[in-house]
Amino acid sequence: MDVKELVSKMTLEEKASLLSGSDFWHTQAIERLGLEEFMMCDGPNGLRKQEGESDHLGLHGSISTVCYPTASTVASTFDEELAEKLGETLGKECVREDVSMLLGPGLNMKRSPVCGRNFEYYSEDPYLAGKIAAAYIRGVQSQGVAACPKHFAANNQEYRRMSGNSTVDERTLHEVYLTAFEMAVKEGKPKSIMCSYNRLNGTYLSENKYMLTDVLRDKWGFDGFVVTDWGAGKGPKEGVEAGLDLVMPGPNDDTPKAIVEAVKAGELDEAKVDRAVTNILEVFNWTKENRPTDPPRSSDDTRKEDYKVALEIALAGAVLLKNTRRALPIREDRKVLFVGEFAKKPRIQGSGSSHINSAYVSNAYDFAKDRDISFVQGYNTKEPELDYKLRDEAVNAARDVDEIVIFAGLPGSYESEGFDRKDINLPTGQDKLIDELAHLGKRTVVVMHNGAPVAMPWIDSVDAVIDMQLTGDAAGEAAVKLLWGEANPCGKLAESYPVKLSDNPSFLNFPGDSGNPVYAEGIYIGYRYYEKKRMQVLFPFGHGLSYSEFEYSNVKLDKESITDKESAVVSVDVWNVGRYKGSEIVQLYVSADKPKVSRPLKELKGFKKITLEPGQKVTVSFTLDKRSFAYYSEKIHDFYVESGDYTVMIGAASNDIRHAKKIEVEGTETIPLNVDLTTAIVDILDTRKGQEILGPVLKKSMEERSKSGSANDDALGEGGAEMFENMVMEMPIGTLASFGMMEMEEVMALIDKLNS
Ligand code: BGC
């Protein structure tokens, strides 16, 4: 269909009707013009298609299908190919089920470990989240199904998520909270994006022109349509004005009515309505043109194939946090006791709109049946306190085995959309049970099921911990394969596990008074904060062990210095020196040596997953470009590279840097000066132009002062000369005249020259 022509044929009422849903999951059909409805369904870790009566809170069931690992687990794979494969698999399922748009991925930053929806999000690191999201989007859209990254933006808690106001400064917003969305838009080219419920710096996202138009479209080049989160629409006219296209869900006669009235009253330009309608229709067109025709319907066979993808991701996303006393992999001749309800009924996903109606879930007990295992329940997920009867049963059963494997984790009611966790603790009964079993002198392994970090007060007493996270349907099969070494763990943590919740940088401002959080910790999210404060964490970002070992050597940078318009390549040899075939995730971090603004000590700027046979060695390389060195400058409202030396670090985790190299970078052209009498001298001298113009004049004036005896140690006491120099550097340029160091005319002439 020719969208322009179609829009020209539509009445104002028809156009307005297209800007809000016809029901929970569909847009309005316009029969007169042959325009069909367009169906969208929740993801992101499966297809949540509701048939019959619909709602998004799970009151009504959805089709029975495959549940994949949640986003938190997908991110731990650090594997863009796998994320793309997941997207592609979901895209295919959408095609089979006649769904045109999948509401995902979720990619909000993990500001606090207790945000109820963290399982649905990728990481505390914007680069990792952005890369994985872009890959997932490419996968979904390879099938002609629109992806819809969400929730845009600064929606990092559930408490009062529909009304809260996130106060975030410009640098933090762009450098931390928008970067993943920016990467998703630029590298994934999603056909849609979902704006969140909350307000950002006072304005609801659904009415936020800065975000929906200036940033999203004008800066990043987004060309799809913007849809509200379900129920996030506010003023219909204000929405259209700001760059919103579709309000969901419907039916809601008020929205089209208000739009028609606003246009008729001359309060809303009809061209803006046309723009929104065009954005939506272009995407409809795109899905029609790009979708395979006559796809097979979903069947047991397709589900089996999809399950294999779920298994592959579950295996790749599991993180081996600790492994001592050769507890893992379990030797075939060992007698093993499985403890814990999750061994038979694993926790596989979070609650809320992402909840999938699984056709089949594998459990570890069934998968390990052929081995020498026994099982006791250990705890009851409905009861947080220690159950003494179940504890005694576990302790007794543990006496005649070689190894105890405790399947522990957060009960389903702990992690959900709609509310945040109160703390990062496991139910106390589980903590006590693990601790007691760990003191029986047997090898003790803990298999965790959790969508976000938990505290592990027993960590020093157990021999091994494997963090399965939330694995989807293949939970049990994946756990057994990893425990007995049929698969080698290779996931790495996509977020830091703090020792305790109060260590988290957002702790004092989460969830904010009346749900209005102030992001006072600024850019210091996750490991950016823990590293800078040199704080101990339980497990750091990027951490994850393998049954094999990898050595890093021969780090090379192809250039010693570059400008911010050039790129450099850093390479490293990685060698599997262990006995098992395994995968390693090589990480690249960058830091500025002497930054003039506050910067983290490390920022992830690259990662690569490689798979090596024992004894095999490969060279891994990364390209460093402008964004590898840049920070967001509020002066130029853009990313900016400061000239200077940078350290390029390659390692196996954020706290396990194996090699580092220096590179000199000539930064971004000088920030345009906008000097007046109040501009600090130090800020002027920070720029090349400032150094050239003000530098020599100032030097001369200071020398004269010093010679005249009024600004040296004799006159001002010990350290007097330094005190004088510091004072001059930090004072506004106008003060040069008040202090008699220059005439006012001279100062004004300098200002003119600096601004010219
Ligand atoms: C959630 C979205 C979801 C939508 C539709 C909202 O409450 O925040 O993530 O896509 O409902 O179910």
Side-chain angles (χ1 to χ4, degrees):
M1 90 184 132
D2 180 338
V3 170
K4 215 171 164 193
E5 197 188 315
L6 185 63
V7 176
S8 71
K9 286 186 190 150
M10 291 168 89
T11 63
L12 176 60
E13 285 71 15
E14 282 167 342
K15 287 189 269 192
S17 76
L18 200 63
L19 303 189
S20 58
S22 67
D23 65 15
F24 240 90
W25 307 117
H26 296 91
T27 55
Q28 198 71 50
I30 304 178
E31 269 174 43
R32 185 182 78 84
L33 299 167
L35 194 66
E36 292 164 9
E37 57 183 23
F38 177 92
M39 183 172 202
M40 45 207 120
C41 284
D42 269 317
N45 50 282
L47 175 62
R48 191 165 180 281
K49 182 184 180 192
Q50 284 186 313
E51 283 174 325
E53 266 197 273
S54 46
D55 69 280
H56 70 306
L57 298 174
L59 303 177
H60 299 284
S62 52
I63 58 165
S64 146
T65 183
V66 174
C67 174
Y68 300 89
T70 59
S72 47
T73 315
V74 178
S76 296
T77 68
F78 280 67
D79 188 332
E80 290 167 74
E81 260 174 52
L82 259 189
E84 190 163 339
K85 190 168 179 178
L86 170 61
E88 189 186 317
T89 311
L90 282 164
K92 285 185 178 151
E93 197 175 352
C94 287
V95 174
R96 291 198 300 266
E97 292 294 336
D98 222 1
V99 171
S100 304
M101 180 158 109
L102 189 69
L103 302 174
L107 57 149
N108 296 85
M109 287 293 105
K110 302 191 187 193
R111 178 173 177 246
S112 163
V114 296
C115 166
R117 259 182 129 168
N118 275 357
F119 66 87
E120 250 187 279
Y121 300 144
Y122 291 123
S123 181
E124 67 187 21
D125 181 85
Y127 180 87
L128 175 60
K131 284 283 175 198
I132 299 287
Y136 177 105
I137 293 165
R138 285 194 297 270
V140 173
Q141 297 197 162
S142 69
Q143 302 306 307
V145 172
C148 181
K150 62 190 187 183
H151 309 89
F152 187 65
N155 169 206
N156 308 95
Q157 64 190 51
E158 290 302 282
Y159 181 64
R160 301 224 188 171
R161 65 172 168 151
M162 296 200 173
S163 59
N165 179 31
S166 303
T167 300
V168 194
D169 66 80
E170 188 183 338
R171 176 179 173 195
T172 301
L173 182 66
H174 285 267
E175 205 169 305
V176 175
Y177 293 93
L178 294 188
T179 291
F181 282 103
E182 178 185 356
M183 291 169 73
V185 167
K186 289 183 176 167
E187 297 176 26
K189 308 214 176 320
K191 291 287 153 196
S192 181
I193 195 162
M194 186 191 289
C195 70
S196 53
Y197 292 116
N198 55 294
R199 284 170 287 161
L200 170 62
N201 297 327
T203 309
Y204 281 105
L205 264 303
S206 59
E207 299 184 340
N208 201 315
K209 177 174 171 292
Y210 174 69
M211 294 289 284
L212 303 189
T213 299
D214 303 354
V215 172
L216 186 61
R217 289 191 193 274
D218 298 348
K219 235 181 173 163
W220 299 348
F222 173 75
D223 67 355
F225 68 79
V226 180
V227 58
T228 61
D229 198 343
W230 267 227
K234 297 284 178 294
K237 167 179 159 291
E238 290 75 4
V240 175
E241 291 272 14
L244 174 66
D245 303 305
L246 177 64
V247 176
M248 285 301 288
N252 176 2
D253 292 343
D254 294 344
T255 305
K257 219 167 117 198
I259 290 173
V260 170
E261 277 167 13
V263 172
K264 286 193 173 151
E267 288 161 8
L268 176 63
D269 185 354
E270 190 166 351
K272 290 188 176 153
V273 175
D274 288 357
R275 177 224 67 211
V277 171
T278 305
N279 288 339
I280 295 172
L281 292 178
E282 291 286 5
V283 176
F284 288 7
N285 240 3
W286 175 88
T287 56
K288 286 228 168 70
E289 281 162 11
N290 289 281
R291 274 166 74 165
T293 44
D294 295 332
R297 304 309 297 173
S298 296
S299 64
D300 285 350
D301 286 344
T302 59
R303 270 185 218 110
K304 272 188 200 135
E305 285 307 306
D306 292 353
Y307 172 87
K308 283 189 201 152
V309 177
L311 175 64
E312 196 181 345
I313 302 170
L315 289 170
V319 185
L320 181 60
L321 294 175
K322 175 177 179 179
N323 192 15
T324 53
R325 291 213 300 156
R326 292 176 188 264
L328 292 176
I330 302 174
R331 280 201 336 239
E332 290 294 342
D333 61 352
R334 281 187 198 148
K335 212 170 166 193
V336 178
L337 173 67
F338 277 7
V339 182
E341 210 175 293
F342 287 160
K344 283 199 169 170
K345 208 169 171 285
R347 162 104 197 290
I348 63 160
Q349 59 178 325
S351 303
S353 61
S354 68
H355 197 266
I356 297 302
N357 178 11
S358 285
Y360 160 78
V361 180
S362 74
N363 71 71
Y365 179 73
D366 282 348
F367 260 87
K369 253 189 191 148
D370 295 342
R371 298 188 151 104
D372 194 358
I373 59 151
S374 50
F375 168 82
V376 288
Q377 189 185 329
Y379 57 84
N380 177 346
T381 43
K382 301 268 175 293
E383 177 49 66
E385 298 302 324
L386 183 67
D387 182 318
Y388 291 97
K389 202 164 144 264
L390 294 178
R391 188 270 319 263
D392 291 349
E393 187 191 11
V395 169
N396 286 333
R399 294 202 196 285
D400 49 57
V401 299
D402 305 307
E403 190 148 346
I404 309 168
V405 179
I406 308 161
F407 289 77
L410 296 169
S413 59
Y414 280 49
E415 292 182 280
S416 175
E417 176 175 338
F419 59 87
D420 302 310
R421 279 189 297 163
K422 291 181 196 64
D423 53 42
I424 58 169
N425 301 333
L426 285 179
T428 47
Q430 286 193 36
D431 275 341
K432 284 185 187 154
L433 179 74
I434 296 170
D435 197 49
E436 291 203 25
L437 292 173
H439 284 94
L440 297 178
K442 310 279 177 178
R443 285 190 181 78
T444 316
V445 178
V446 182
V447 178
M448 293 294 299
H449 301 66
N450 51 310
V454 289
M456 300 180 192
W458 33 259
I459 190 69
D460 292 335
S461 316
V462 301
D463 298 302
V465 180
I466 183 152
D467 196 352
M468 298 301 297
Q469 310 195 56
L470 296 179
T471 38
D473 289 351
E477 184 171 357
V480 170
K481 288 205 152 88
L482 292 161
L483 286 169
W484 271 272
E486 280 172 40
N488 191 351
C490 61
K492 305 253 184 179
L493 289 182
E495 61 188 301
S496 317
Y497 277 33
V499 176
K500 52 188 188 307
L501 178 58
S502 57
D503 290 346
N504 178 263
S506 73
F507 181 71
L508 296 176
N509 292 291
F510 185 99
D513 296 339
S514 309
N516 297 321
V518 177
Y519 289 38
E521 70 286 0
I523 56 164
Y524 292 103
I525 181 173
Y527 71 90
R528 285 166 164 74
Y529 174 80
Y530 299 123
E531 286 268 338
K532 188 105 178 184
K533 293 270 288 186
R534 293 179 170 79
M535 275 170 79
Q536 210 200 331
V537 288
L538 177 61
F539 291 108
F541 175 85
H543 168 77
L545 307 171
S546 160
Y547 296 151
S548 213
E549 276 170 53
F550 301 93
E551 261 181 31
Y552 291 56
S553 60
N554 199 22
V555 176
K556 285 189 204 143
L557 254 172
D558 69 341
K559 295 183 192 107
E560 281 175 5
S561 65
I562 53 169
T563 70
D564 75 333
K565 296 198 180 57
E566 295 166 340
S567 57
V569 174
V570 57
S571 62
V572 62
D573 291 347
V574 182
W575 187 13
N576 183 350
V577 294
R579 289 188 295 128
Y580 298 86
K581 177 182 176 184
S583 299
E584 171 69 328
I585 292 154
V586 185
Q587 299 160 44
L588 167 79
Y589 295 88
V590 175
S591 75
D593 287 3
K594 285 189 188 147
K596 294 198 179 100
V597 296
S598 180
R599 295 196 69 176
L601 295 182
K602 273 173 207 151
E603 290 176 78
L604 184 77
K605 296 296 172 182
F607 58 86
K608 255 184 204 150
K609 180 168 159 183
I610 46 164
T611 302
L612 298 175
E613 296 289 342
Q616 195 186 347
K617 189 193 264 187
V618 292
T619 303
V620 178
S621 50
F622 300 96
T623 302
L624 295 153
D625 60 13
K626 175 176 176 181
R627 283 295 277 270
S628 312
F629 306 101
Y631 70 92
Y632 185 92
S633 163
E634 297 195 357
K635 288 188 189 153
I636 57 167
H637 308 292
D638 206 346
F639 282 86
Y640 173 79
V641 178
E642 213 179 83
S643 294
D645 289 340
Y646 289 78
T647 304
V648 174
M649 293 162 272
I650 293 209
S654 62
N655 74 332
D656 184 9
I657 299 302
R658 303 290 177 87
H659 298 279
K661 286 260 171 206
K662 297 271 178 215
I663 186 164
E664 193 191 336
V665 184
E666 191 185 308
T668 315
E669 289 299 303
T670 334
I671 292 179
L673 279 167
N674 186 10
V675 179
D676 62 26
L677 285 169
T678 66
T679 310
I681 289 175
V682 67
D683 288 338
I684 300 172
L685 292 178
D686 247 3
T687 64
R688 260 176 257 160
K689 193 171 180 187
Q691 277 165 22
E692 280 163 24
I693 297 172
L694 180 61
V697 188
L698 192 67
K699 195 165 163 235
K700 195 167 150 240
S701 162
M702 305 259 292
E703 278 168 4
E704 274 165 14
R705 275 274 160 149
S706 175
K707 268 190 222 140
S708 73
S710 60
N712 55 26
D713 287 9
D714 290 343
L716 298 166
E718 237 177 287
E722 192 183 339
M723 169 257 171
F724 179 69
E725 192 179 326
N726 273 350
M727 191 177 73
V728 173
M729 291 302 276
E730 287 165 20
M731 72 194 192
I733 188 168
T735 314
L736 287 172
S738 354
F739 277 16
M741 292 173 71
M742 271 179 210
E743 295 302 323
M744 188 46 104
E745 291 82 63
E746 272 181 276
V747 174
M748 293 311 292
L750 271 173
I751 291 180
D752 283 348
K753 217 166 159 191
L754 287 164
N755 286 337
S756 66

